Each structure stands twice: as C-alpha cells, then as structure tokens.
Amino acid sequence: MSRVYDRVALIGLGLIASSMFWAIKRAGLAGEVTGHARSAETRDTAREIGLCDRVCDSAAEAAEGADLVVLCVPVGAMGAVAAEIAPVLDPGATVSDVGSVKKAVIDAVGPHVPRGVHFVPAHPLAGTEHSGPRSGFAELFDNRWCLIVPENGSDRDAIARLERFWQGMGAHTDEMDADHHDLVLAVTSHAPHLIAYTMVGVADDLRRVTDSEVIKYSAAGFRDFTRIAASDPVMWRDVFLSNKEATLEILGRFTEELFALQRAIRTGDGAHLQDYFTRTRAIRRGIIEAGQDTDAPDFGRVRPG
Ligand code: NAP
C-alpha cells in the first residue's frame, strides 16, 4: 500500500488515534503524522512511546499544513476542536472524525469547516474497553468496518481518498447517511452498552450477593457485561447525550420485549422463550459467518490448564 496523504494530523491521542497511527505506519499511508492531545501528560506519553512523528502543543499547530485532519476526541469535544483548527486549514484539505455518533458531530463540526475544505465524517466500528495513548495497536481495524458518512455535496474524490486510507489501515468501508448510521449504531452498540452498564450496576447494588461472589463466579455470563461496562465513561456519556433519539427509540423497544419475556416466565410460556432464544441464536451464527467474531467457545478465551 502506498502513501495516500502527505501529512495527517490526529487530534486526540487515545485508543482510536494511537491505533490509527500504528496502522498508518504499518502500511506507509502518510509522509508525516502529527498529533495533539489536550493534556501535557498524554503528550509526554506520546513522545515517550514514539506515537506520532511530531507531537504538537496545540491542535492548530498539529493541523497546520495537513492534507487530512482526523478529530479523535470524545463526541462532545468535536465542535470546540473544529473551531480551534479552522483558521489554519488549507483549501483542498479534508477534515474527518471517528466519532461514534454522526448527526451530532456533523451539526457541531460542519459550521466551522471553511469553504474549500472537504468535510467527510467517518466511524470505524472497532474498539476495546481500553483507552489512552498506550492502548492502541496496528491491527485494531483489520477486517472491521469503517462507515463513511458523507454529507450532501461532499467531494467524491475526497471521499474516495478517505476510503482508500481506511482500507489501507485494514478496514472495509461502506457509505451510510447520518440518521441511518445513528439508528444502526443505537442497536448494535449504544443500547447494548447501556444494558451492560445497567446489569453491572444492578449486581453492584445487590448487596445480598457479595462482591467476591460476583467476581468469583463471573464467567457464568456476567464477565462479558463487565468488559463492555469498563468502557471509557466520558466517551459513553457523550454518546448517549448526542444520540438521544435513536437510543431512546431502541430502549423503548427493548423494554417492551423485556416485559414480554418477563410475562412468559411468569406464566410459564416455555414455547415463547424457546422460540425467542432460537431466533437470537441465528443472529450469533450470522455474525460468525460474516467474519466479525470467532466461533471458538467462550469467544476464544484461553482456558487455564
Ligand atoms: P480515548 O482513548 O479516551 O482518547 C480521547 C482523546 O481525546 C485523549 O487524547 C484526550 O486527551 C482527548 N480529549 C478528550 N477531551 C478533549 C477535549 N475536550 N479537547 C481536546 N482533546 C480532548 O478515546 P477513544 O476511545 O480513542 O475515542 C475517541 C473517539 O473515537 C470518540 O469520539 C469515540 O466516540 C470514537 N470511537 C471510540 C471507539 C472505542 O471503542 N473506544 C470506537 C469507535 C469510535 P487527554 O488524554 O489529554 O485527556
């Protein structure tokens, strides 16, 4: 894979940006990668571990002269960062982002993008429960999807170039409009995270079950919820605040189904429960067939002994 951009600027140096940096280097996709993070501590860590060719003390300094600037900060911080870099953006440059919500980011960032600068929002569907500059790795996006969410009138060449860039980092790309993206992600990511947070919160509140039992017997299913519920609190606060409508719509449906299952349990309606669980099992099979997870038992976890 060859160079797609001469200079890429990564604003925010957490899990996603650090993974992008290592993936860019793996494939030689950029001549130079500059980076900026809000805190001196993160910038120092980045310099120490060689994350970015040049770590800058301001977002504007990192963005100056870049032909691609990617906003990799929490969704709620995107607008302020876009305002800060706007004056230094060159005509013909592309601004993109990796935010987990698209409509709110487009509304916050779009108005700051100067004329002649392309704005092509994107969202890589890849992540872990870890965060910060040390958490990234080059393989994060391999065989994962990156959704490109162009706005009406987005420049086709700028879109194609950004798609090539994500493909170079190992991802498959697809295009989607912002409202549809936010609804799909509410189903596949946002509502499941809220349910995991709730389940772990319930276990924490249930003082009849001691902490040590919750931890000791967690492999019975609870452990998988705890992994999701360990995700970054600021990132997820912003996701729910900015994808309100779609998340509430899905949670409404979830609550209705939960009541139906609750009723089936109370009335002893085994057929309903079995039909339901048969249907859901097929979805798991579909995910494995699509190459989006492993069919090894227990998600491929290594067993002791
Ligand atoms: P992260 O590891 O927590 O890193 C966030 C970075 O943003 C840090 O470098 C942080 O700087 C910086 N930052 C935070 N608030 C800021 C502000 N107000 N102004 C300027 N910089 C700020 O986060 P991440 O997981 O990489 O997520 C980044 C973006 O990717 C989010 O929009 C998220 O929705 C999206 N995303 C995440 C995942 C995932 O699974 N994690 C997946 C796909 C997309 P300091 O370190 O100095 O605080």
Side-chain angles (χ1 to χ4, degrees):
M1 189 47 89
S2 55
R3 184 183 290 198
V4 181
Y5 295 101
D6 288 333
R7 188 186 294 168
V8 172
L10 302 173
I11 313 297
L13 292 174
L15 169 71
I16 300 298
S18 56
S19 297
M20 288 178 73
F21 176 74
W22 302 120
I24 291 167
K25 288 292 156 185
R26 181 182 67 175
L29 300 171
E32 189 194 24
V33 181
T34 59
H36 167 75
R38 173 182 54 170
S39 69
E41 191 189 342
T42 298
R43 296 196 298 271
D44 286 347
T45 303
R47 289 182 181 115
E48 185 193 322
I49 64 175
L51 172 61
C52 294
D53 300 317
R54 193 155 51 85
V55 177
C56 304
D57 288 336
S58 76
E61 193 188 334
E64 193 154 17
D67 41 9
L68 173 69
V69 182
V70 190
L71 309 182
C72 306
V73 298
V75 168
M78 298 269 182
V81 173
E84 194 189 331
I85 61 167
V88 304
L89 296 173
D90 289 333
T94 295
V95 173
S96 186
D97 75 293
V98 293
S100 306
V101 176
K102 295 276 58 102
K103 182 79 173 63
V105 169
I106 289 169
D107 289 347
V109 172
H112 298 292
V113 178
R115 279 170 75 92
V117 172
H118 309 297
F119 177 33
V120 188
H123 177 202
L125 307 188
T128 74
E129 67 278 27
H130 299 296
S131 50
R134 293 183 191 275
S135 58
F137 51 98
E139 299 78 21
L140 180 66
F141 309 112
D142 286 350
N143 201 30
R144 296 285 170 254
W145 286 96
C146 180
L147 298 177
I148 311 286
V149 184
E151 287 203 282
N152 275 345
S154 284
D155 181 79
R156 281 316 311 177
D157 289 343
I159 296 168
R161 197 170 172 196
L162 189 72
E163 293 203 20
R164 250 191 356 267
F165 178 66
W166 276 104
Q167 288 160 7
M169 287 190 285
H172 308 291
T173 56
D174 223 346
E175 288 182 31
M176 207 178 258
D177 75 58
D179 286 333
H180 192 64
H181 167 279
D182 288 357
L183 185 62
V184 169
L185 267 291
V187 176
T188 57
S189 171
H190 306 166
H193 272 79
L194 198 74
I195 292 159
Y197 280 121
T198 314
M199 196 54 232
V200 175
V202 166
D204 188 43
D205 289 344
L206 205 68
R207 295 294 171 196
R208 274 173 297 156
V209 181
T210 67
D211 282 355
S212 64
E213 280 171 316
V214 168
I215 291 164
K216 186 172 168 190
Y217 302 124
S218 66
F222 183 68
R223 184 177 59 180
D224 296 319
F225 281 106
T226 63
R227 190 188 64 73
I228 297 174
S231 301
D232 190 70
V234 172
M235 170 189 154
W236 283 96
R237 177 201 64 192
D238 285 4
V239 166
F240 293 118
L241 293 180
S242 57
N243 196 17
K244 221 181 239 182
E245 246 174 66
T247 310
L248 290 177
E249 158 74 17
I250 300 306
L251 286 174
R253 286 167 184 259
F254 174 81
T255 314
E256 284 172 22
E257 302 258 329
L258 190 64
F259 278 140
L261 290 173
Q262 204 175 333
R263 187 163 188 280
I265 293 170
R266 184 160 13 87
T267 59
D269 186 350
H272 179 88
L273 295 173
Q274 193 174 337
D275 284 355
Y276 202 91
F277 302 156
T278 303
R279 192 150 60 84
T280 54
R281 192 176 219 191
I283 293 191
R284 171 83 193 148
R285 248 193 326 270
I287 291 171
I288 290 157
E289 278 161 22
Q292 295 297 303
D293 206 349
T294 167
D295 65 350
D298 201 14
F299 303 96
R301 284 188 177 104
V302 178
R303 281 158 195 278

